[in-house]
Amino acid sequence: MHIVVCIKQVPDSREIRIDPNTNTLVRQGVPAIVNYYDLHGLEEALRFKDTVGARVTVISMGPPSAEKSLRQCIAMGADEAVLVSDRAFAGADTLATSYVVALTIEKVAQEFGIVDLVFCGKQTLDGDTGQVGPGVACRLDYDQLTYVEKVVALDEKNHTITVHRHLEDGVEVVQTKLPALITVLTELNKPRRASLPGVLKAAQYKPVVWSTNDFANIDRSKIGLKGSPTIVSKTWVPEPRKVNTEMIDGPSPEAIAADVTKRLWSSEAASRLGWA
Amino acid sequence: MSDMKLEQDQKQTPSENAPKMRRDLSPSEAVHEKDWSDHKGILIVVEQRGGIAKKVSWQLLGEGRRLADKLQTHLSALVIGSNVSGLAKEAIYRGADNVYLCDSVELENYRTRPYSKVCLAVIREYKPEIVLLGATYTGRDLAGAIATHLPTGLTADCTQLDVDENRLLLASRPAFSEKMLATILCKQYKPQMATARSGVFLALPLDPTRQGDIITIPSQMTEGEIVTQVLDFLEQTDHVSLEDQEIIVAGGRGLGGPEGFVMLQEFADALGGVVGASRAAVDAGWIGHDHQVGQTGSTVRSKLYFAIGISGAVQHVVGMQNADMIVAVNRDPQAPIFKVAHLGIVGDLFTLVPALTEAIRAQKRNSGSVPVAL
Ligand SMILES: Cc1cc2nc3c(=O)[nH]c(=O)nc-3n(C[C@H](O)[C@H](O)[C@H](O)COP(=O)(O)OP(=O)(O)OC[C@H]3O[C@@H](n4cnc5c(N)ncnc54)[C@H](O)[C@@H]3O)c2cc1C
Ligand SMILES: Cc1cc2nc3c(=O)[nH]c(=O)nc-3n(C[C@H](O)[C@H](O)[C@H](O)COP(=O)(O)OP(=O)(O)OC[C@H]3O[C@@H](n4cnc5c(N)ncnc54)[C@H](O)[C@@H]3O)c2cc1C
C-alpha cells in the first residue's frame, strides 16, 4: 500500500487578531502550524503502516518554510515528504491548488510507486473551504469519501475501503474501491507524538522539492493567480448588529424575573410566538 | 472539454494502473476570452434525504428569488433523488420559476459521481449564470466536484449574497475564525458558484398558487457503473436540529457542569424551547455537539434566544445574532454578549434561572397560553 497525505502549513488562525485601529489582520507572531485536520489524516495513514504495512508519503504545496511542517510529519513516522514550491503557485484558489496537488500525486505515483489512498483534511484553518479534497479526487478520477470519522475496514484483496461519513443527522456507512481519496474529521483518531527515532530522522531529513520545471506537462495557465477563477475583492470587519440593550435590574432575582417576563410578554417576539 | 460520458468507471486495481489525470478539467486561457452572455438565470441545487428537503435548500430559493428579481432573470431548482417529484412541486411553491427533476432509483442515496453528473448535464444544457448549493456536508462534497469538472470558481460557506450591475455575484464569507468577512468574485467564468450556510437566509412561505414547468432530466449513470455503495445510514435518533427552533435557551461555561444543563432544560421546558450551548460547554462534555450554536455549530434564527453564562465570543455571536429577541444573563457587566442582547441581566445565573423558570410558569398559567407546539 502506498498512501499519500496532503498537508497545508497554515497560520494558527486562533491566534490571529484584528487591529482595532486599522481593521486589518495582525499576522505578526502568529505561529505557522500543520493544519490540524491533516495530522489526523497522517495518523490514519500511519496506523495502516503499523497494521497492514504501508508506505506513507506526505505532500504539500507551499512556500519553502513549509519544510518545517513536512519535517514534523517525518518525525511522526512518514516515510517521504515532497514540497511543491514555486512563486508561480502563489495566489492559487482551490481550483488551481487542486490542479497542482493532483499533478504532484501523479508524479509521486510515477516516482515512488502506485498510490492506493489519499488523505486530505476536512478543511484548513485559513482558507477553510474544504474544496481541495473533492477537487483533487475529480482530477485524479478517484472516488471521494468526504467527512470521514471512522475507517471501518480496508479489504486489500478486493481493493475496497469502508468508512463512516459524518452527516448533519447521522452517519453514513459507505464503501468504495481503491484508489480513493478521503477527507478526515478530527474524530477519526488521536495523532501520535513524534518518536525519538522519528525526531532524529527528521533532523537530518531534506524533503524532495519540486518546482514548475519538474512537471513536464504542467499547464501554466492553470496555476497560481492566473489559474484561479475566484478573486478576493475585499475583506472587512462586519459591523455588529445595532441593538438597544435594555439592562434589567431589581431588588431580588424574583423581581428581575417578573420584570423580564412582563417585557417578554409585551414584546414582538411574544406575539410572533403566539403568546400574547 | 469532456462530455458527460466519462470513461472513469473502468477502474482497475491500483497495482495495475497508475493514476491518470483528466487534463481537460481545468481552466485554460481560452476560457478567459469566452463570451458568457448565453448564461442566464439562477440555479439552486435542492438537497434532500428520504424525500425531505434540507431547510437550507428552501432558504436558498428564498434568497435566489431576491437575486433573480434583481437581475430580472429566472430562478430554477434542480431536484435529484428517487421518488422526489413532490419536492419539485414544493420548489415551485417556494419561489422557483421552473424545476429540473431527475428521479431515478439509483439516485436514492447521495453519491458524488451520479449526482455530479446530473448537475453537470443540467448546467451544460441550461447554462445558468449562478449556481448555489447549501454548505452542508453533502452540498460541499457535490459543489467541489461540479466546480472542478466545469471548471469554474466556487466560493465556500457564504453568509451574504448579492449581485451588482455587471451581474457579478458578490459572495461573502466569514474568514479567519469569523473575525472578518471576505467578498469573493468570479469574473471570468460562468456559472458563478457558491455554497451558502444554513440558517442565514429566509425561506419564502409556501405558496401553492405558484406555477412553473417541471423538466425531466434523465439519470446519467446506471447502478452497474457506480463504484461507491452506501451500505447503511445510522440515524442519530436524539439529533436536535437547532436551526428549526423558535425558542432556544443556550448555556455556556458559566453553567459550571452538566448539572447546570439540567437546570437549563427545566427553564427551556417552561418556555417550550430547546437547549443550546456554547462551544466551551460542548467541549467540556456537558452537552452534545448538536446543541452547539456558532461558527462550528448551528446558525439559528429563533424568535427568542437566551444566552446564559455565555461571554459572547464572535464565533458564538455569528450563530445567534439573527434571533429576533436575545436575552443575556451574565455576572460580568462587561461581557460582550450584552452588545447583541435586547435584554441584559447582570447577576448570578444560579439564582436567576430558577426565578425566571418560576416566573415564566406563573405567567403561562395566568395568561392561559400553553407552550407553543414545536
Ligand atoms: C479568507 C480566504 C477565503 C478564501 N475563500 C476561497 C473560496 O471561497 N474559494 C476558493 O476557491 N478559494 C478560496 N480561498 C483560497 C484558498 O484558501 C486557497 O486556494 C488554498 O490554497 C486552498 O484552499 P483551502 O485552504 O480552503 O483548503 P481546503 O480545501 O479547506 O483544504 C482541504 C485539505 O486539502 C489539502 N490541501 C489544501 N491546500 C493544500 C496545499 N497547499 N498543499 C497540500 N494539500 C493541501 C489538505 O489536506 C487540507 O486539509 C480563500 C482564501 C482566503 C485566505
Ligand atoms: C475556529 C473557532 C471556532 C469556534 N466556534 C465556536 C462555536 O461554534 N460556538 C461557540 O460558542 N464558540 C466557538 N468558539 C469558541 C469561542 O471563541 C469561545 O471560546 C466560546 O464561545 C466561549 O464559550 P463561553 O461563552 O461559554 O465561555 P466563556 O467565554 O468562558 O464565558 C463564560 C461566561 O459565563 C459567565 N459566568 C460565569 N459564571 C457565571 C454565573 N454564576 N452567573 C452568570 N454568569 C456567569 C462569565 O462571566 C463569562 O462571561 C470557536 C473558536 C474558534 C477559534
Side-chain angles (χ1 to χ4, degrees), chain B residues 235-252:
Chain B
E235 194 172 343
Q236 196 190 334
T237 44
D238 57 350
H239 174 75
V240 284
S241 170
L242 289 181
E243 280 146 30
D244 313 337
Q245 303 296 333
E246 301 208 304
I247 302 173
I248 295 170
V249 179

Side-chain angles (χ1 to χ4, degrees), chain A residues 60-251:
Chain A
S60 188
M61 177 185 94
S65 62
E67 240 193 75
K68 173 178 150 252
S69 289
L70 288 170
R71 253 194 242 109
Q72 182 186 336
C73 298
I74 295 289
M76 280 173 69
D79 297 298
E80 218 65 67
V82 178
L83 174 65
V84 222
S85 192
D86 198 310
R87 276 175 178 273
F89 296 142
D93 74 354
T94 58
L95 196 69
T97 300
S98 67
Y99 175 66
V100 174
V101 171
L103 272 184
T104 306
I105 294 171
E106 205 182 32
K107 192 169 162 71
V108 162
Q110 281 157 7
E111 301 199 358
F112 305 167
I114 299 306
V115 174
D116 304 281
L117 200 54
V118 174
F119 282 108
C120 283
K122 171 200 178 202
Q123 60 191 47
T124 61
L125 286 174
D126 59 344
D128 194 10
T129 65
Q131 291 169 187
V132 171
V136 171
C138 276
R139 291 171 185 285
L140 292 173
D141 203 16
Y142 288 8
D143 277 271
Q144 70 193 48
L145 301 173
T146 51
Y147 308 107
V148 169
E149 60 176 28
K150 188 175 175 187
V151 175
V152 187
L154 174 83
D155 182 340
E156 280 197 281
K157 206 167 104 248
N158 296 308
H159 296 283
T160 63
I161 188 157
T162 310
V163 302
H164 283 181
R165 288 187 67 220
H166 179 94
L167 299 173
E168 285 83 3
D169 49 358
V171 168
E172 194 178 61
V173 187
V174 202
Q175 184 176 76
T176 200
K177 280 224 150 61
L178 301 179
L181 181 142
I182 290 179
T183 77
V184 304
L185 304 181
T186 53
E187 287 80 359
L188 186 65
N189 55 40
K190 192 167 175 290
R192 66 192 63 189
R193 287 168 180 280
S195 66
L196 184 60
V199 172
L200 294 175
K201 179 179 171 193
Q204 312 278 327
Y205 188 80
K206 280 256 156 263
V208 178
V209 182
W210 291 333
S211 71
T212 42
N213 295 332
D214 295 296
F215 294 95
N217 296 320
I218 197 163
D219 178 343
R220 283 168 196 265
S221 72
K222 294 180 184 175
I223 61 173
L225 207 53
K226 228 204 266 173
S228 298
T230 63
I231 306 150
V232 180
S233 80
K234 62 167 179 171
T235 55
W236 79 97
V237 178
E239 286 282 314
R241 187 168 82 155
K242 288 230 173 358
V243 291
N244 295 320
T245 309
E246 277 187 79
M247 298 305 290
I248 316 281
D249 204 357

